[in-house]
Amino acid sequence: MQWRRLHNLRLSSKKCRQRKSQKNENSRDPIAGVFRIGDCAANTAANDNFRNRSETVNLNCISAVLTPCFSAGHNVGLLGQPGVGKTEFVRSFVATLRASQIRPELAEPGDDDKPVRFISVATTTKEAVDVSGCPAIQDGVTVWNPPAWVPRGNEAAVVFLDEFPQADIPTQLAFQKLIDRDLDGCDVSPRAVFVIAGNRIEDNAGANEIPQHLRNRFSWFTVECDAAQWCEWAQSHGVPQIVVEFIRSRPEMLNRFDAASDALSYATPRSVTRFGGKLGGMTNESVIDALAAADCGAEWAAEFRQFRQLYAQMPDIDVVLQNPTTHPLPSDLGILLAFSSSLVAAAKADKSRSKAVVTVIDRMFDAGAQEVAAKTMRDVVASDPAIFASAEGVKLFAKIGPMMRV
């Protein structure tokens, strides 16, 4: 691997020359027409500005900002805490795209039916030469053989550069040549869109500063958790209903990340989903507690155990909706909140049961659970606006409407 060491040595030498040159530029007299680049304090302020002022979005609206970026062929940077779901979301979103949606002015016949290739690159496992490719001698001249995954020709592709801030600076700069389509020995597709994803400096996840000139090649967004969006996704991806209902009733339990903590296990969308995948039809309470603590932490496991006890006392939602005027309703607030989530899910799954759902909400209101009834009605209407026009809905809104407007 002597050629690899020589290549890295060339990069290091070049960086030293650049730093020396920059130092000389900084020391020149500004009156002579050369602008002073700035001191350490100014550079630190610029880094803080980059970390703290990128646009903040949650996952349920990222698709709205990715669509125009991909259409224009612009690169995107996504920053966020570990486990928030950046990788899985982009992968799922790209699976919904057609090739004609990436720079449509360059689309070819048949692109409306052609998928967009998703290329995930673990940047922390790469060195600079892994991006530029291996050298070879052809006719006495050194040529480079870029990686096979690089999109060529007019291919529509999204290149996902995972954990990019954690990669060392020479590797980041090597990827810059790929992003600029200046890779030796390869014509990089003009319809390749690059997405950087990684953690922030303050997350204590080993992130490095990204050079200023490289940042300027991307549109930056900071990604946050959204419990309601995760619950919707989880229901369609096989996460056990009891886990979904737990997060619905305790949304703060979806994300317990603390950059200052030394805990091995803590709750994030990723770890909660992983725990749900183990749960299945398991009934051994001790094993469930151990698995919950292993994935999401001891505090989370204790809260989930308490919720399971309440959930076991919740009446069967199907039986309640078959007898909406007479079936006993829960009175405990914890059980009532879980019951509320089940009502909303039932209304969304089968709109023919909306009348029965409204009747139950009306009874909840009359029984003294006005705030829970108002929340339930708001969520039900969001999934079935036609309830506004029903006779039962009009009657209930006369009572509950003022609370919903607060």
Side-chain angles (χ1 to χ4, degrees):
M1 301 301 287
Q2 184 178 4
W3 60 270
R4 184 187 293 269
R5 292 194 293 271
L6 289 174
H7 183 82
N8 290 337
L9 180 61
R10 289 199 300 271
L11 284 174
S12 300
S13 300
K14 183 178 180 181
K15 286 181 63 182
C16 290
R17 291 195 300 272
Q18 289 173 338
R19 289 172 180 168
K20 182 177 180 180
S21 174
Q22 181 169 316
K23 181 178 180 181
N24 291 337
E25 290 289 335
N26 285 341
S27 63
R28 294 181 188 176
D29 185 355
I31 299 177
V34 178
F35 290 99
R36 192 174 298 277
I37 293 177
D39 56 18
C40 293
N43 289 335
T44 299
N47 290 335
D48 289 342
N49 181 69
F50 166 68
R51 291 194 296 270
N52 298 331
R53 296 191 181 181
S54 56
E55 185 66 23
T56 300
V57 293
N58 50 44
L59 287 177
N60 61 346
C61 68
I62 280 189
S63 58
V65 298
L66 289 184
T67 299
C69 290
F70 286 4
S71 178
H74 294 170
N75 304 318
V76 175
L78 302 177
L79 296 177
Q81 64 159 76
V84 76
K86 301 178 292 294
T87 304
E88 181 58 35
F89 180 84
V90 175
R91 186 192 307 274
S92 299
F93 176 70
V94 171
T96 69
L97 298 178
R98 299 293 93 184
S100 57
Q101 294 174 271
I102 307 292
R103 296 198 64 183
E105 74 277 10
L106 299 178
E108 300 175 345
D111 275 358
D112 286 339
D113 301 317
K114 188 182 300 182
V116 175
R117 183 158 71 111
F118 180 78
I119 305 167
S120 181
V121 181
T123 59
T124 53
T125 66
K126 306 299 181 186
E127 295 184 7
V129 292
D130 296 323
V131 182
S132 59
C134 296
I137 305 298
Q138 290 184 4
D139 300 326
V141 177
T142 300
V143 295
W144 296 88
N145 299 295
W149 53 260
V150 174
R152 295 167 169 79
N154 195 37
E155 181 184 14
V158 172
V159 182
F160 188 79
L161 303 179
D162 203 7
E163 306 296 354
F164 190 85
Q166 280 89 331
D168 58 33
I169 300 302
T171 301
Q172 292 185 11
L173 296 178
F175 274 106
Q176 178 196 328
K177 288 180 65 66
L178 172 63
I179 293 164
D180 289 346
R181 294 170 176 80
D182 187 27
L183 203 60
D184 295 333
C186 180
D187 293 326
V188 181
S189 171
R191 298 171 72 196
V193 178
F194 296 89
V195 178
I196 279 178
N199 307 126
R200 303 158 298 187
I201 297 289
E202 59 266 31
D203 292 327
N204 289 334
N208 300 309
E209 293 285 3
I210 300 175
Q212 292 276 10
H213 68 286
L214 187 50
R215 301 176 193 174
N216 198 237
R217 288 162 164 80
F218 291 82
S219 301
W220 291 97
F221 301 95
T222 298
V223 181
E224 292 186 341
C225 294
D226 183 86
Q229 188 269 341
W230 180 87
C231 288
E232 184 176 344
W233 173 89
Q235 281 205 299
S236 62
H237 285 76
V239 177
Q241 190 65 30
I242 190 171
V243 177
V244 177
E245 297 298 347
F246 175 55
I247 299 301
R248 276 206 180 103
S249 63
R250 298 287 305 281
E252 72 278 7
M253 300 305 290
L254 178 63
N255 182 34
R256 310 295 287 178
F257 173 73
D258 180 2
S261 172
D262 59 357
L264 293 176
S265 304
Y266 52 89
T268 65
R270 177 170 57 201
S271 63
V272 173
T273 302
R274 184 172 65 241
F275 164 67
K278 300 183 181 79
L279 192 56
M282 188 175 298
T283 58
N284 188 313
E285 296 295 324
S286 298
V287 174
I288 294 174
D289 288 344
L291 292 174
D295 280 327
C296 303
E299 179 186 354
W300 194 96
E303 295 284 351
F304 185 62
R305 182 192 314 118
Q306 184 179 34
F307 178 81
R308 294 199 311 274
Q309 294 169 353
L310 293 173
Y311 194 77
Q313 302 173 41
M314 192 177 73
D316 187 303
I317 193 67
D318 293 326
V319 176
V320 173
L321 293 180
Q322 289 170 8
N323 305 277
T325 60
T326 59
H327 196 287
L329 301 180
S331 56
D332 181 273
L333 179 59
I335 302 175
L336 203 55
L337 288 171
F339 181 71
S340 168
S341 297
S342 296
L343 273 178
V344 175
K348 185 175 182 179
D350 185 357
K351 291 182 173 54
S352 67
R353 300 199 285 184
S354 295
K355 180 178 178 180
V357 169
V358 171
T359 300
V360 173
I361 297 174
D362 196 2
R363 290 180 58 204
M364 291 166 59
F365 187 90
D366 291 341
Q370 286 92 349
E371 292 185 0
V372 178
K375 172 188 177 299
T376 308
M377 193 62 179
R378 181 198 64 205
D379 294 343
V380 167
V381 168
S383 64
D384 186 10
I387 288 178
F388 275 116
S390 68
E392 296 79 9
V394 170
K395 178 183 175 182
L396 181 55
F397 273 111
K399 295 192 296 186
I400 210 171
M403 295 191 66
M404 294 179 66
R405 290 193 290 269
V406 173

